[in-house]
């Protein structure tokens, strides 16, 4: 029934309402029909059942059903209309930016034998002080309206079979090469840096899409989505969800004599935190362990694990007001890529994430070493990135048998081949050979680039040359290429030397096909790919999502009694 027809029926009924004071058949609290007779007739309210043929004690059943239908039609139309309007309102809350502002692309993972692919999402915490609320929460009034920094960066990897989840945090002061990025708002081009810069500055090079480009450049991991949240958003969502239990091993007050610190004050033990206190926990550096970003990342992991357990076990999402508030605050707090720009897309994603048992969630920090007051990735970091690229669970609980890489090869054989651009003839492929044999404990092997370039020339790659300007430090021998049209050439070079396909990677750090001779090939003319270690490095400080005994160590200089 249309809305116009429903209104007409109501007008007709108002002209001949009958003797009733109002409609009967009103549902009981338990959903039953309080006044319906056994024969389906509905007596007038407040009186005895009318006698057959009586003069007006009975309303015709047909008219009553028309009235009920009209009311239901109006209700359903109104509810649907209001729901649609509210849905559009929530979608309008969500801010969006392009996914990748860089020129470089990383190929999506090869589906497994079942046709499933992993999902990689970059979580970004912005320190933007672009509103009074963010200013009040973030402090540092002198930075109001300044370029925001990506002070929290976590890569969330959901396995292809959706059984496990891995998270890698990158400290904000990690030195990286930020690639060329173009601001989608005004077209400003931020050229790639000549040196290395703190990774949190990538957000100021056009937006979160540049942080995505930076991660892909460093890790070789294809990123499907990003989700960015600011100070106010963290507080609002923490309030909406409710308290999240966290633990400290002593009384803590994150504030020094110069006023540095988040202001977090908690007594020893486990306590639920929410709202502004949750933000303080996530931002605390002064007071946890050595006061570094590494300690802060560990505290963030504890919070996220605890939040996942609370949502899975105790969150009461059946409360309409609570659910509505959570939807309102969450959508206002987020900036996402176009692939997550509606409530439905976010809801579908949350269902996938919520399906992972906390015991299969692993939180890690990118292995790193200090460079002055900053840090840089180590060889262990590359191992961690490889595990994620190859969809190997960081908890070590993958089912025994066919490895993900082997399953991918099997799946590749079953599908029509999607090949790279055909390789040029060997003597037409230009290859630059770089010495990457330097390690933390050993210097670079002298003359290694020249020796391997000579080996390639003997194999017919007459365009191979050695770069003798310096040396790099690479744990594994790699073949890098700058763009898709050179992938076939890069694969051909790798094949000729016995370098596995997993070590052929796209990178905008190079201008042509580049062979980096790694520490695994310091001598000899025959390359033997090392046995790969598929365990998570200890230096990643893995924390299991089901570990509710984790407790942050408090620095004695930030305690109280």
């Amino acid at each position: 029934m249309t809305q116009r027809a429903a209104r007409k029926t109501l007008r007709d009924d108002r002209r001949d309402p009958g003797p009733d004071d109002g409609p009967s058949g009103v549902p009981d609290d338990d959903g039953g029909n309080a006044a319906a007779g056994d024969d389906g007739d509905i007596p007038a309210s407040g009186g005895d059942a009318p006698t057959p043929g009586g003069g007006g004690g009975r309303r015709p059943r047909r008219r009553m059903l028309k009235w009920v239908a009209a009311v239901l039609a109006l209700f359903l139309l109104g509810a649907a209309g209001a729901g649609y309007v509210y849905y559009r309102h929530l979608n309008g809350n969500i801010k969006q930016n392009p996914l990748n502002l860089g020129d470089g692309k990383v190929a999506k993972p090869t589906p497994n034998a079942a046709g499933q692919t992993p999902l990689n999402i970059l979580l970004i915490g912005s320190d933007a002080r672009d509103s009074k609320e963010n200013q009040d929460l973030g402090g540092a009034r002198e930075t109001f309206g300044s370029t925001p920094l990506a002070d929290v960066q976590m890569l969330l990897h959901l396995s292809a079979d959706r059984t496990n989840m891995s998270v890698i945090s990158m400290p904000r002061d990690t030195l990286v090469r930020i690639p060329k990025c173009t601001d989608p708002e005004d077209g400003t081009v931020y050229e790639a840096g000549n040196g290395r810069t703190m990774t949190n500055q990538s957000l100021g090079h056009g937006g979160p899409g540049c942080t995505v480009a930076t991660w892909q450049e460093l890790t070789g991991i294809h990123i499907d989505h990003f989700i960015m949240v600011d100070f106010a958003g963290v507080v609002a969502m923490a309030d909406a969800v409710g308290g999240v239990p966290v633990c400290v091993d002593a009384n803590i007050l994150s504030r020094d004599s110069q006023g540095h610190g988040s202001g977090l004050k908690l007594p020893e033990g486990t306590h639920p935190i929410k709202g502004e206190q949750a933000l303080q926990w996530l931002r605390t550096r002064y007071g946890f362990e050595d006061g570094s970003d590494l300690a802060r990342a560990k505290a963030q992991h504890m919070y996220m694990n605890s939040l996942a357990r609370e949502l899975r076990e105790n969150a009461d999402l059946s409360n309409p007001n609570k659910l509505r508030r959570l939807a309102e605050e969450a959508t206002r707090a987020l900036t996402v890529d176009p692939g997550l720009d509606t409530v439905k897309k976010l809801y579908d994603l949350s269902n996938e994430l919520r399906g992972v048992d906390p015991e299969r969630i692993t939180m890690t920090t990118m292995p790193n070493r200090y460079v002055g007051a900053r840090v840089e990735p180590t060889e262990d970091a590359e191992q961690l990135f490889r595990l994620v690229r190859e969809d190997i669970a960081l908890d070590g609980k993958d089912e025994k048998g066919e490895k993900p890489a082997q399953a991918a090869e099997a799946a590749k054989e079953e599908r029509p081949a999607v090949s790279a651009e055909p390789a040029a003839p060997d003597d037409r492929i230009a290859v630059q050979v770089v010495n990457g044999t330097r390690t933390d404990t050993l210097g670079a092997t002298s003359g290694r680039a020249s020796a391997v370039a000579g080996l390639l020339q003997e194999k017919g790659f007459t365009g191979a040359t050695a770069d003798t300007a310096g040396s790099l430090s690479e744990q594994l021998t790699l073949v890098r290429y700058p763009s898709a049209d050179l992938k076939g050439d890069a694969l051909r070079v790798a094949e000729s030397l016995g370098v596995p396909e997993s070590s052929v990677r796209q990178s905008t750090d190079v201008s042509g096909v580049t062979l980096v001779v790694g520490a695994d090939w310091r001598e000899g003319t025959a390359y033997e790919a090392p046995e790969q270690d598929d365990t998570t490095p200890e230096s990643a400080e893995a924390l299991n999502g089901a570990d509710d005994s984790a407790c942050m160590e408090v620095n004695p200089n930030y305690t109280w009694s």
Side-chain angles (χ1 to χ4, degrees):
M1 180 182 293
T2 65
Q3 197 164 3
R4 179 182 297 174
R7 288 177 182 145
K8 181 179 185 303
T9 303
L10 283 175
R11 287 198 299 268
D12 290 345
D13 283 342
R14 288 193 187 106
R15 294 192 188 104
D16 184 18
D20 294 4
D21 293 331
S24 61
V26 178
D28 284 335
D29 289 339
D30 64 356
N33 196 329
D38 292 339
D39 60 359
D41 290 331
I42 304 175
S45 60
D48 295 332
T51 58
R58 183 187 299 273
R59 169 177 296 171
R61 183 170 185 241
R62 183 173 57 188
R63 174 171 293 178
M64 193 59 190
L65 289 176
K66 285 173 65 180
W67 190 93
V68 171
V71 171
L72 283 174
L74 278 175
F75 174 78
L76 290 174
L77 284 170
Y84 179 67
V85 169
Y86 188 60
Y87 176 75
R88 290 189 61 184
H89 162 72
L90 291 178
N91 286 343
N93 283 346
I94 303 170
K95 299 176 286 294
Q96 62 170 294
N97 276 167
L99 175 62
N100 183 0
L101 301 183
D103 294 335
K105 308 294 181 187
V106 174
K108 292 184 178 181
T110 303
N112 63 17
Q116 303 164 302
T117 53
L119 195 61
N120 295 309
I121 305 165
L122 188 62
L123 308 179
I124 303 171
S126 165
D127 77 341
R129 293 168 173 85
D130 53 359
S131 68
K132 184 179 186 304
E133 188 175 9
N134 277 329
Q135 178 66 69
D136 291 342
L137 293 168
R141 298 187 182 282
E142 70 279 2
T143 64
F144 183 82
S146 61
T147 303
L149 300 170
D151 272 357
V152 177
Q153 298 177 33
M154 295 183 182
L155 181 67
L156 187 154
H157 171 84
L158 184 61
S159 65
D161 62 8
R162 302 304 191 254
T163 62
N164 64 87
M165 187 191 308
S166 305
V167 175
I168 301 176
S169 286
M170 186 190 297
R172 65 171 183 170
D173 55 0
T174 301
L175 296 175
V176 297
R177 180 181 176 277
I178 299 176
K180 175 184 173 183
C181 292
T182 302
D183 192 319
E185 295 290 329
D186 58 17
T188 299
V189 175
Y190 297 85
E191 296 294 342
N194 293 324
R196 296 189 301 172
T197 311
M198 283 175 57
T199 184
N200 66 348
Q201 295 184 29
S202 59
L203 187 60
H205 290 211
C210 194
T211 306
V212 168
T214 302
W215 268 81
Q216 290 194 155
E217 178 82 12
L218 176 68
T219 66
I221 298 169
H222 174 81
I223 294 177
D224 300 281
H225 301 292
F226 73 78
I227 298 175
M228 184 171 72
V229 63
D230 58 17
F231 291 152
V234 171
V235 171
M237 287 193 291
D239 270 340
V241 172
V244 175
V246 295
C247 176
V248 287
D249 68 356
N251 299 342
I252 182 173
L253 175 59
S254 177
R255 187 73 74 201
D256 65 13
S257 57
Q258 283 77 46
H260 299 134
S262 69
L264 177 70
K265 184 175 183 180
L266 282 176
E268 177 184 352
T270 300
H271 309 278
I273 59 173
K274 60 180 182 178
E276 187 171 351
Q277 198 171 41
L279 176 63
Q280 290 174 335
W281 175 275
L282 294 169
R283 296 186 65 212
T284 293
R285 187 159 58 91
Y286 293 92
F288 286 153
E289 298 184 352
D290 61 356
S292 69
D293 280 326
L294 305 179
R296 173 159 54 187
K298 188 182 295 185
Q300 291 167 351
H301 295 164
M302 289 184 186
Y303 179 90
M304 290 180 66
N305 280 341
S306 185
L307 175 61
R309 292 193 299 269
E310 288 297 304
L311 286 173
R312 188 178 177 89
E313 298 170 10
N314 303 318
D316 180 16
L317 296 181
S318 62
N319 183 320
N321 288 331
K322 185 174 183 179
L323 187 59
R324 185 165 54 249
R325 182 183 175 197
L326 178 58
E328 187 74 37
E329 301 294 357
T331 52
R332 283 196 302 170
L334 301 178
T335 300
V336 300
D337 67 275
L340 291 177
D341 62 350
T342 68
V343 172
K344 183 181 185 306
K345 292 175 184 177
L346 289 168
Y347 178 77
D348 290 344
L349 173 62
S350 70
N351 276 342
E352 288 201 86
L353 299 178
R354 209 166 53 199
V356 180
D357 192 298
E359 290 186 355
R360 299 301 314 277
I361 298 174
T362 307
M363 299 278 179
T364 64
T365 299
M366 181 198 75
N368 58 83
R369 57 177 161 246
Y370 277 101
V371 181
R374 311 301 181 204
V375 300
E376 66 180 4
T378 63
E379 291 79 5
D380 281 355
E382 171 50 35
Q383 179 174 336
L384 195 65
F385 299 153
R386 179 184 65 80
L387 294 178
V388 170
R389 282 196 303 268
E390 298 182 7
D391 196 26
I392 298 172
L394 298 188
D395 62 6
K397 296 178 182 177
D398 275 333
E399 290 186 11
K400 302 300 180 185
E402 196 175 39
K403 281 188 169 185
Q406 295 168 333
E409 288 302 317
K412 198 184 299 181
E413 292 176 6
E414 295 174 6
R415 296 190 312 276
V418 180
S419 60
E421 191 79 17
D426 292 353
D427 61 355
R428 299 288 300 276
I429 298 176
V431 187
Q432 186 176 50
V433 183
V434 178
N435 187 347
T437 58
R438 177 168 48 87
T439 71
D440 290 341
T441 57
L442 298 172
T445 302
S446 178
R448 195 65 186 141
S450 297
V452 177
L455 177 63
L456 279 170
Q457 290 170 0
E458 291 175 9
K459 290 179 176 290
F461 294 88
T462 55
T465 58
D467 179 355
T468 57
S471 63
L472 302 177
S473 177
E474 286 288 352
Q475 185 177 15
L476 299 175
T477 294
L478 304 172
V479 181
R480 292 181 171 138
Y481 62 97
S483 55
D485 60 313
L486 291 177
K487 182 177 181 179
D489 292 356
L491 288 170
R492 173 65 191 126
V493 171
E495 179 188 25
S496 71
L497 296 172
V499 175
E501 185 176 338
S502 60
S503 294
V504 178
R505 300 176 196 165
Q506 186 171 348
S507 171
T508 54
D509 277 341
V510 296
S511 57
V513 176
T514 303
L515 170 66
V516 183
V517 183
D520 59 343
W521 197 14
R522 290 177 62 87
E523 59 185 11
T525 57
Y527 178 72
E528 294 183 11
E531 184 76 25
Q532 290 187 326
D533 180 4
D534 290 343
T535 58
T536 301
E538 289 187 15
S539 55
E541 300 191 60
L543 179 65
N544 185 268
D547 184 1
D548 58 4
S549 66
C551 202
M552 283 305 297
E553 177 187 340
V554 175
N555 186 311
N557 295 323
Y558 291 87
T559 192
W560 53 275
S561 57

